[in-house]
């Protein structure tokens, strides 16, 4: 007789250009969780090639979803419908909080982007229940895990993440809200890469640089593997609003010029650019596949496609478009330079040098662009660059593994123990118990013991150290305690975090020692070591 109960977890990665769904089963017995097999793609009937294009068609009133996925993608070729098609809306989530949002972040309002995401998610949830759950009501036997960009939880005091989280919860019945998990994309990538053996200590040692290029964002994660323990020492991260979708926008402009479409025609029919964007994406991907797999030889790979566009005034533009490497680099050379600058900034921000890098692991759909791969090979050495299999599925596969991993949050100095091949693994146990040895003490003598892992500081009620003051941000700072170090990181607070009256740089770790005085806004606490009670 088998003890425990079986849990089915559905993992979703709601990307800017494609959504992906994976499924994994676990056996739960008390605090022990055992994974039953590997996470597997779980496509629905609306999916194409294991992914769902993140695109939808509104009804004529604009109030509800009429079609989505490939059906909506096909409707881009119908000039009578395509003005109701919406795509590439994820980058607009939270853009209203940015000081200088990029043009692609201003295509829709924050509220519109959330609304389109909700429409698509609710349709997918209905399909999961119908096709994967035998049309039964969701209950305690099912879990859902959602990936999200890690900066959503840190930027603007977590406002973007909170909006996304609420949107997701509203798409499910209340009885399973407690069974819905949210996992930062980098954590999913780390778990998946480790499972595939791609985070083993690189030859010659050195730092592993995980480069996750999506449709709208790029995240760089640096860590160092311990070949003896299987731990990854997280060193830092850097991210920007840069992704493969920017190349598609440039390709759309190029196609408009190549087809000799007057600017006035596009102004009267802005949805035509959406169609050209999809055409451009397919040309770009075709050329990249050829270049990444090209053998040395005299031939020069070329992608070609017959492009037909009918504008709203019933004019037909049709031409065979050819795209080679020189033409693409002329079109998108400035974006290639932006990516090169991004990598340089990431290395500097994390505090590394090129010679520190022992391996570059590429994940995300955007890393299959040949110019991105080539730059990293040129900079770090061809043998150090590893392109993961199915890179666009790395994150969604990893968040399916997170249920049995309990990583906590990514903070500098954190040792992340990643899951070995299928064995019984410790399940989530809630907050780590306070670790004797370190505490913060107020001038009035109130002690705040520091627990192993992350301690949140702020005036929000969910903070471990709750400080009620208007001078303190809701999520002001985080303190990370490991076996060897105590570090603090300011989370972009309004009034800053000070150590011994020196203001910390936002999002950068500072290592503490006994006697340090920390000031959060107008509240001061002292770092102390205390005797262990054991």
């Amino acid at each position: 007789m088998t003890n425990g109960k079986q849990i089915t977890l559905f993992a979703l990665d709601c990307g800017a250009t494609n959504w992906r769904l994976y499924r994994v089963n676990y056996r739960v017995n008390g605090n022990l969780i055992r994974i039953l097999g590997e996470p597997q793609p779980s496509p629905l009937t609306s999916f194409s090639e294991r992914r769902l294009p993140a695109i939808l068609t509104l009804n004529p009133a604009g109030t509800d979803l009429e079609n989505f996925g490939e059906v909506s993608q096909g409707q881009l070729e119908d000039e009578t419908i395509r003005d109701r098609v919406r795509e590439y809306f994820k980058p607009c989530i939270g853009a209203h909080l940015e000081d200088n949002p990029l043009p692609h972040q201003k295509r829709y309002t924050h509220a519109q982007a959330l609304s389109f995401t909700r429409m698509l998610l609710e349709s997918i949830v209905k399909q999961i229940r119908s096709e994967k759950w035998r049309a039964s009501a969701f209950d305690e036997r099912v879990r859902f895990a959602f990936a999200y960009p890690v900066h959503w939880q840190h930027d603007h005091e977590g406002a973007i993440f909170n909006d996304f989280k609420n949107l997701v919860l509203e798409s499910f019945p209340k009885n399973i809200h407690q069974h819905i998990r949210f996992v930062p994309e980098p954590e999913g990538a780390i778990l998946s890469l480790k499972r595939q053996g791609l985070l083993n200590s690189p030859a010659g040692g050195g730092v592993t640089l995980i480069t996750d290029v999506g449709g709208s964002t790029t995240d760089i994660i640096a860590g160092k593997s311990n070949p003896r323990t299987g731990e990854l020492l997280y060193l830092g991260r850097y991210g920007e609003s840069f992704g493969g979708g920017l190349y598609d926008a440039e390709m759309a402009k190029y196609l408009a010029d190549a087809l000799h479409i007057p600017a006035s025609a596009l102004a009267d029919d802005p949805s035509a650019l959406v169609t050209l964007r999809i055409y451009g994406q397919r040309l770009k991907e075709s050329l990249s596949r050829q270049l990444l797999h090209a053998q040395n030889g005299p031939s020069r790979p070329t992608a070609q496609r017959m492009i037909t566009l009918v504008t709203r005034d019933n004019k037909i533009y049709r031409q065979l478009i050819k795209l080679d490497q020189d033409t693409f680099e002329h079109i998108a050379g400035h974006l290639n330079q932006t990516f090169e600058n991004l990598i340089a900034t990431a290395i500097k921000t994390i505090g590394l040098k090129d010679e520190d890098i022992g391996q570059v692991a590429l994940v995300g759909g955007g890393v299959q662009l040949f110019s991105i791969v080539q730059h990293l090979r040129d900079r770090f050495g061809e043998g150090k660059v590893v392109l993961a299999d199915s890179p666009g599925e790395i994150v969604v596969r990893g968040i399916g593994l997170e249920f049995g991993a309990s990583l906590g949050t990514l903070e500098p100095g954190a040792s992340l123990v990643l899951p070995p091949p299928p064995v019984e693994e410790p399940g989530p146990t809630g907050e780590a118990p306070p670790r004797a040895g370190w505490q913060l003490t107020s001038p009035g003598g109130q002690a705040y013991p520091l627990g192993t892992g992350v301690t949140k500081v702020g005036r929000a009620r969910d903070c471990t150290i709750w400080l009620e003051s208007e001078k303190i941000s809701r999520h002001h700072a985080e303190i990370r305690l490991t076996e060897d170090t105590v570090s603090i990181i300011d989370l972009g607070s309004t009034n800053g975090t000070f150590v011994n009256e020196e203001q910390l740089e936002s999002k950068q770790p500072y290592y503490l020692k006994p006697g340090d005085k920390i000031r959060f806004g107008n509240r001061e606490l002292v770092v102390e070591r205390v005797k262990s009670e054991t």
Side-chain angles (χ1 to χ4, degrees), residues 23 27 43 68 80 95 202 210 320 322 381 401 406 428 469 486 492-493:
R23 176 175 177 161
R27 177 71 61 185
F68 61 94
T80 66
I210 302 172
L320 178 66
K322 297 182 179 181
L401 295 167
S406 295
S469 170
V486 181
S493 62

Side-chain angles (χ1 to χ4, degrees), residues 12-16 19 52 54-56 58 65 68 86-94 108-125 146-147 152 160 163-172:
L12 290 98
D13 182 7
C14 304
W19 287 20
L52 174 76
I55 182 170
L56 57 87
L58 298 175
L65 179 148
F68 61 94
R86 303 290 183 267
E87 54 89 51
Y88 204 58
F89 39 82
K90 183 179 180 180
C92 302
I93 297 177
Y108 309 108
T109 67
H110 173 71
Q112 287 174 323
L114 289 175
S115 176
F116 302 152
T117 303
R118 179 182 290 107
M119 289 179 187
L120 192 54
L121 177 58
E122 289 176 348
S123 296
I124 295 306
V125 170
F146 285 83
W152 277 7
I160 305 174
D163 282 351
F164 176 72
K165 179 179 178 180
N166 290 334
L167 176 157
V168 170
L169 294 178
E170 289 168 4
S171 302
F172 288 88

Side-chain angles (χ1 to χ4, degrees), residues 38-278:
E38 292 293 310
Q40 297 293 329
S42 191
L44 303 168
T45 54
S46 57
F47 281 45
S48 174
E49 298 179 349
R50 310 206 309 200
R51 61 186 181 180
L52 174 76
I55 182 170
L56 57 87
T57 307
L58 298 175
N59 63 9
T63 57
D64 204 351
L65 179 148
E66 183 177 270
N67 287 303
F68 61 94
E70 273 209 321
V71 174
S72 292
Q73 208 166 60
Q75 290 177 326
L76 285 171
E77 299 178 17
D78 186 341
E79 71 279 7
T80 66
I81 297 177
R82 65 167 175 252
D83 63 343
R84 294 193 273 120
V85 175
R86 303 290 183 267
E87 54 89 51
Y88 204 58
F89 39 82
K90 183 179 180 180
C92 302
I93 297 177
H96 66 301
L97 299 173
E98 301 295 334
D99 293 333
N100 296 296
L102 298 172
H104 71 281
Q105 296 177 296
K106 297 187 291 185
R107 299 179 69 215
Y108 309 108
T109 67
H110 173 71
Q112 287 174 323
L114 289 175
S115 176
F116 302 152
T117 303
R118 179 182 290 107
M119 289 179 187
L120 192 54
L121 177 58
E122 289 176 348
S123 296
I124 295 306
V125 170
K126 287 179 182 178
Q127 278 197 302
I128 292 173
R129 184 169 174 267
S130 172
E131 299 178 24
K132 306 296 183 182
W133 202 246
R134 302 171 299 281
S136 301
F138 294 135
D139 54 30
E140 70 279 358
R141 297 170 298 164
V142 68
R143 302 288 189 276
F144 287 87
F146 285 83
Y148 67 91
V150 67
H151 66 87
W152 277 7
Q153 196 170 42
H154 295 292
D155 293 352
H156 312 293
E157 298 188 347
I160 305 174
F161 171 72
N162 288 334
D163 282 351
F164 176 72
K165 179 179 178 180
N166 290 334
L167 176 157
V168 170
L169 294 178
E170 289 168 4
S171 302
F172 288 88
K174 289 184 178 181
N175 68 298
I176 68 160
H177 282 188
Q178 61 183 325
H179 300 320
I180 298 175
R181 307 165 69 85
F182 297 88
V183 184
E185 291 171 358
E187 291 190 15
I190 289 170
L191 285 165
S192 187
L193 291 170
K194 183 66 177 181
R195 197 78 168 190
Q196 296 180 38
L198 294 179
L199 290 187
N200 295 332
S201 184
V207 173
T208 293
L209 204 67
I210 302 172
T211 303
D212 182 359
V213 183
S216 60
T217 59
T218 294
D219 271 311
I220 311 293
I221 306 294
K224 197 163 186 178
S225 299
N226 184 326
R228 183 177 60 83
T229 65
E231 294 181 354
L232 181 76
L233 178 65
Y234 172 70
L235 301 177
R237 64 165 289 271
Y238 179 80
E240 285 188 20
S241 295
F242 176 91
L246 297 181
Y247 288 89
D248 302 336
E250 292 301 314
M251 284 297 302
K253 296 175 186 176
Y254 167 74
L255 293 178
D257 291 339
L259 291 168
H260 304 292
I261 303 175
S264 57
L266 293 176
D268 293 336
D269 187 7
S271 60
L273 273 174
V274 176
T275 307
L276 295 177
R277 181 191 186 93
I278 300 296

Side-chain angles (χ1 to χ4, degrees), residues 367-489:
V367 297
Q368 298 180 88
L369 184 61
F370 72 91
S371 58
I372 287 177
V373 176
Q374 191 57 55
H375 170 67
L376 294 171
R377 287 173 174 171
D378 291 343
R379 178 161 189 155
F380 300 109
E382 184 167 354
K384 293 183 178 181
V385 178
V386 179
L387 182 61
D389 292 336
S390 302
E393 300 182 12
I394 291 294
V395 168
V396 69
R397 184 186 299 125
I399 65 171
L401 295 167
E402 192 270 349
F403 180 59
S406 295
L407 284 181
T409 57
L410 289 172
E411 292 301 329
S415 293
L416 305 180
V417 182
L418 301 165
V423 293
E424 286 197 335
E425 301 161 341
T429 57
E431 288 189 17
R435 176 176 183 249
W438 293 90
Q439 67 181 28
L440 302 184
T441 306
S442 72
Q446 183 175 357
Y448 299 93
L450 298 179
T452 301
V454 173
T455 297
K456 296 181 179 181
V457 183
R459 60 181 172 85
R461 288 286 184 175
D462 62 347
C463 291
T464 308
I465 298 179
W466 178 56
L467 302 175
E468 188 175 12
S469 170
E470 290 301 316
K471 298 290 185 181
I472 295 175
S473 298
R474 294 182 67 254
H475 297 96
H476 197 104
E478 288 183 351
I479 298 173
R480 182 80 191 194
L481 174 63
T482 69
E483 287 187 1
D484 303 314
T485 63
V486 181
S487 59
I488 185 170
I489 182 170

